[in-house]
Amino acid sequence: HQIGWSFEVVRGQPSFATLSVGDQDLLVIEAASRPFAGEFRLDSRLLASALAAHRPILLVRNAEQRKDGVVALVQKSGASADRTIAAALRLAQAGERRLTVVLAAEDVDAAKTLERIRAVSGKVASRSRVERLSPGDAVLERVAGEGGLLVVDADPAVNDVAALKDLLARTRADVLFMR
């Protein structure tokens, strides 16, 4: 696919200031440290910085898990919804995974969302579903479990750091924070 990439191992106290990460780069970090004392793992030292950063980040939580579906969490209509659904759709298509679109925004139409997916890929649309998220509903906990990938708009206009931490606490999936 001729995608430019780099790999860097940083020892010591990594921070976004010490990493050579450009504006167009996707930073991939593990959510937890390597296990020690058996299976005990601490949260990554970069996790707090990653949630506050203004760059796209893939937070890997289940590197060893079998890959499951892709979940797009749509919290705001317009450009945010378009960006989130398009990224999740491309990931589902590339990995031949099922796609679930969870609509938290009241003004996003479920039928039009499914039509939009079908216009890009009938194959993905046949494995897709659209669900509405209502307050107190546990749909995210159910569909964004271990082995899945949750795509979320992490732009501060859509989600602040506290909301992102809450999403991490409610799901077990890997998370792509789009900015």
Side-chain angles (χ1 to χ4, degrees):
H1 294 284
Q2 299 180 353
I3 297 173
W5 61 276
S6 65
F7 179 81
E8 181 178 1
V9 175
V10 178
R11 299 208 186 277
Q13 285 287 40
S15 69
F16 286 109
T18 62
L19 297 175
S20 56
V21 179
D23 290 338
Q24 299 298 314
D25 291 335
L26 171 67
L27 182 63
V28 180
I29 65 171
E30 283 195 90
S33 66
R34 291 183 180 163
F36 62 93
E39 295 294 317
F40 184 70
R41 297 174 74 142
L42 297 172
D43 283 344
S44 168
R45 291 180 282 185
L46 281 175
L47 186 57
S49 299
L51 294 176
H54 295 288
R55 64 190 52 201
I57 294 172
L58 174 60
L59 183 65
V60 178
R61 301 165 100 184
N62 305 292
E64 309 290 318
Q65 292 286 343
R66 168 185 77 76
K67 299 303 176 200
D68 199 5
V70 178
V71 178
L73 177 60
V74 178
Q75 297 170 286
K76 191 173 184 181
S77 61
S80 174
D82 295 342
R83 188 172 51 245
T84 304
I85 293 169
L89 174 57
R90 285 191 307 267
L91 290 165
Q93 189 173 24
E96 296 185 4
R97 297 164 73 174
R98 62 186 164 79
L99 173 64
T100 302
V101 179
V102 177
L103 300 176
E106 295 288 329
D107 56 346
V108 178
D109 184 77
K112 287 182 182 177
T113 300
L114 199 52
E115 286 173 22
R116 201 162 118 209
I117 295 167
R118 189 171 287 110
V120 174
S121 171
K123 186 175 181 180
V124 173
S126 69
R127 295 187 313 255
S128 296
R129 69 179 190 264
V130 179
E131 295 192 26
R132 181 85 45 200
L133 179 67
S134 55
D137 192 355
V139 68
L140 266 184
E141 291 85 342
R142 182 173 38 83
V143 298
E146 290 184 20
L149 174 62
L150 174 64
V151 179
V152 62
D153 189 346
D155 186 293
V158 178
N159 281 302
D160 60 10
V161 174
L164 296 176
K165 285 181 181 177
D166 181 58
L167 278 173
L168 289 177
R170 292 174 39 210
T171 65
R172 296 300 327 143
D174 295 341
V175 182
L176 175 60
F177 295 108
M178 301 204 25
R179 315 251 187 201

